[in-house]
């Protein structure tokens, strides 16, 4: 430039030359921080509430948490996400700190157990080993996309925990400090390599809240400290349904699954606080999320669906159906499933985007704002 000032292009070139790689981008360039891809959770309803205005899932290049109460389906969801990631050609490393993830279970969930893209299962000794492995894979294989799954953060000790005695005071706050440093080192690498970190965690009773009213609105917390919470782009919390029978039983009354409520505890995609629910089968030959069964619940508010007694009628579809036949129609009739997906997009995605209808149709407002006694 004539006045001796550096142009934006010159500044970018100077910064990237100093860094030894591309770290600066102009406004018209592709930004690594942009979400370019999503990994389905296995639940169409959940995928539909994660990002305002579009069908989404677990964001690629970011850190996501799935936390839940005991037996709420965290590992089942993680297995589903692993299966969906492999279908996209993403390599999956599963850190099984709880030593409960069997090959048979993952195979039932549809995960690829053989070949070049087979899932890799690790049993790490400590959280430092997890973070070091994640860093090693991304630095030595930057051309591959990875999905790293930690199962679970609550049950993965830090190195100081293993070196000390069983007194919890001996290594107090060590793991949060390790995670804080780890996230500082890994966040930009995840974005740059388009790799994804999925953290499974436990919901524990929040006994430290002194105000009883706060106890109602914030009944749980997650282990691992506060630093990692800032790293999450998405937090999905799994709990039970209030006042409703949550177990799924077979024809003989044996329990084969459960129904869970999913709430977006944190979302950087304009959807914090949204909820949905779905069923998970965890016994028998068929395990995983019962996606189709939950969709009927998701579209019941639509005026394109009418019912009389036990029978339902879908606008644009000639034949009436019942709740029991809905999943079969979803799998066998392409016209029927397309109509249902169109209604899901309208009721769950577009109505929220356009702020059509009542807010309580999308949020659990009663849980978030308890009434004073």
């Amino acid at each position: 430039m004539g006045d001796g000032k550096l142009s934006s292009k010159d500044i970018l070139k100077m910064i990237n030359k100093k860094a030894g790689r591309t770290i600066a981008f102009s406004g018209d360039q592709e930004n690594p921080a942009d979400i370019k891809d999503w990994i389905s959770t296995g639940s169409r309803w959940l995928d539909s509430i994660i990002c305002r205005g579009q069908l989404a899932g677990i964001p690629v290049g970011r850190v996501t948490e799935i936390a839940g109460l005991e037996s709420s389906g965290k590992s089942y969801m993680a297995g589903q996400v692993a299966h969906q990631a492999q279908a996209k050609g993403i390599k999956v490393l599963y850190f099984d700190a709880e030593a409960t993830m069997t090959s048979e279970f993952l195979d039932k969930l549809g995960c690829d157990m053989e070949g070049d893209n087979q899932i890799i299962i690790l049993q790490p000794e400590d959280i430092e080993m997890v973070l070091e492995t994640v860093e090693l894979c991304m630095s030595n294989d930057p051309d591959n996309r990875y999905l790293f799954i930690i199962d679970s953060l609550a049950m993965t000790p830090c190195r100081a925990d293993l070196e000390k005695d069983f007194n919890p005071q001996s290594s107090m706050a060590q793991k949060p400090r390790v995670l804080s440093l780890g996230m500082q080192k890994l966040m930009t690498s995840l974005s740059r390599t388009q790799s994804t970190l999925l953290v499974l965690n436990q919901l524990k009773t929040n006994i430290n809240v002194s105000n009883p009213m706060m106890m109602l609105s914030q009944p749980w917390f997650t282990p691992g400290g506060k630093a990692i919470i800032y790293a999450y782009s998405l937090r999905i919390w799994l709990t039970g349904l209030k006042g409703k029978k949550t177990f799924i039983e077979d024809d003989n009354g044996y329990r084969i699954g459960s129904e869970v409520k999913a709430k977006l505890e944190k979302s950087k995609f304009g959807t914090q606080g949204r909820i949905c629910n779905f069923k998970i089968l965890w016994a028998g030959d068929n395990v995983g999320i019962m996606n189709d069964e939950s969709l009927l619940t998701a579209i019941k508010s639509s005026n394109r669906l009418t019912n009389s007694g036990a029978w339902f009628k879908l606008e644009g579809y000639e034949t009436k159906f019942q709740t029991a036949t809905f999943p079969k129609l979803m799998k066998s009739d392409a016209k029927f499933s397309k109509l249902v997906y169109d209604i899901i997009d309208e009721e769950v995605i577009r109505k929220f985007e356009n702020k059509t209808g009542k807010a309580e149709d999308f949020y659990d407002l009663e849980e978030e704002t308890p009434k004073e006694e």
Side-chain angles (χ1 to χ4, degrees):
M1 297 179 67
D3 57 3
K5 293 182 179 179
L6 293 176
S7 67
S8 296
K9 186 176 180 180
D10 292 331
I11 294 172
L12 287 171
K13 185 177 180 180
M14 177 182 66
I15 294 172
N16 290 327
K17 182 179 180 180
K18 175 68 176 178
R21 57 184 175 84
T22 304
I23 65 167
F25 307 86
S26 61
D28 59 355
Q29 285 182 299
E30 188 178 83
N31 190 333
D34 295 337
I35 304 297
K36 305 176 186 67
D37 198 8
W38 307 83
I39 305 171
S40 174
T41 61
S43 167
R44 174 63 181 256
W45 193 358
L46 180 56
D47 290 345
S48 298
I49 71 171
I50 286 175
C51 183
R52 180 184 291 271
Q54 70 175 92
L55 183 66
I58 304 298
V60 170
R62 301 288 183 93
V63 185
T64 295
E65 176 192 61
I66 297 178
L69 300 175
E70 65 277 6
S71 302
S72 58
K74 300 181 292 296
S75 295
Y76 289 84
M77 282 198 65
Q80 295 272 152
V81 173
H83 164 61
Q84 298 289 340
Q86 287 182 307
K88 289 177 171 286
I90 298 173
K91 290 188 176 296
V92 180
L93 269 68
Y94 201 112
F95 295 93
D96 182 23
E98 298 183 0
T100 57
M101 186 58 64
T102 67
S103 298
E104 180 184 6
F105 173 78
L106 289 169
D107 186 48
K108 284 184 177 181
L109 287 172
C111 292
D112 184 0
M113 307 304 293
E114 300 177 354
D116 292 337
N117 202 37
Q118 64 181 283
I119 192 168
I120 299 174
I121 306 171
L122 305 90
Q123 291 186 349
E125 294 181 359
D126 47 55
I127 195 65
E128 287 91 339
M129 183 179 291
V130 172
L131 299 173
E132 289 163 1
T133 303
V134 170
E135 184 180 43
L136 177 69
C137 290
M138 290 192 296
S139 61
N140 286 277
D141 189 18
D143 296 328
N144 257 319
R145 295 194 299 169
Y146 283 90
L147 168 64
F148 305 102
I149 302 175
I150 303 177
D151 186 4
S152 65
L153 184 63
M155 293 299 290
T156 308
C158 68
R159 208 155 283 168
D161 293 328
L162 301 176
E163 294 172 350
K164 301 292 182 178
D165 53 29
F166 286 98
N167 181 358
Q169 304 294 326
S170 300
S171 57
M172 179 180 289
Q174 288 293 316
K175 185 159 69 172
R177 292 168 63 188
V178 171
L179 288 168
S180 177
L181 178 58
M183 291 303 102
Q184 292 175 50
K185 294 184 66 176
L186 297 178
M187 291 286 286
T188 54
S189 295
L190 287 167
S191 176
R192 187 175 65 252
T193 62
Q194 286 295 284
S195 293
T196 308
L197 178 59
L198 176 59
V199 179
L200 304 191
N201 214 342
Q202 299 174 1
L203 289 181
K204 298 191 175 183
T205 303
N206 195 359
I207 60 176
N208 293 323
V209 176
S210 56
N211 186 341
M213 299 310 299
M214 290 291 291
M215 191 60 188
L216 293 175
S217 61
Q218 300 178 12
W220 302 293
F221 77 99
T222 54
K226 293 184 178 181
I228 193 170
I229 295 175
Y230 289 95
Y232 295 136
S233 291
L234 178 68
R235 304 183 77 191
I236 303 171
W237 283 15
L238 305 179
T239 58
L241 299 179
K242 292 182 179 179
K244 185 175 180 180
K245 183 180 179 182
T246 58
F247 285 113
I248 301 168
E249 299 176 347
D250 63 14
D251 295 337
N252 297 317
Y254 289 97
R255 295 173 178 177
I256 58 173
S258 56
E259 188 166 3
V260 299
K261 182 180 80 173
K263 177 183 177 182
L264 305 187
E265 182 67 17
K266 177 183 177 181
S267 170
K268 290 190 175 181
F269 313 109
T271 54
Q272 183 167 326
R274 293 199 67 180
I275 59 171
C276 70
N277 56 276
F278 47 84
K279 298 175 181 178
I280 297 178
L281 290 179
W282 34 256
D285 294 330
N286 297 318
V287 298
I289 296 174
M290 300 175 70
N291 175 59
D292 293 336
E293 287 77 0
S294 69
L295 297 185
L296 181 57
T297 304
I299 67 173
K300 278 186 176 179
S301 61
S302 173
N303 55 18
R304 295 169 62 184
L305 178 72
T306 57
N307 76 295
S308 178
W311 292 93
F312 292 88
K313 181 72 169 64
L314 198 63
E315 182 182 298
Y317 192 77
E318 300 78 15
T319 308
K320 293 182 179 180
F321 61 92
Q322 293 182 312
T323 301
T325 57
F326 180 83
K328 298 176 183 177
L329 287 170
M330 287 294 296
K331 290 180 174 62
S332 63
D333 194 321
K335 178 182 178 181
F336 183 85
S337 60
K338 184 180 184 306
L339 286 170
V340 171
Y341 289 140
D342 287 345
I343 297 175
I344 284 285
D345 291 344
E346 177 186 344
E347 295 293 322
V348 181
I349 298 178
R350 289 194 295 273
K351 280 192 175 182
F352 183 82
E353 168 71 5
N354 299 326
K355 299 180 181 178
T356 304
K358 299 178 181 178
E360 54 261 35
D361 294 337
F362 305 104
Y363 303 111
D364 192 350
L365 298 179
E366 181 179 355
E367 180 181 282
E368 294 178 355
T369 55
K371 297 178 181 179
E372 294 285 350
E373 295 181 357

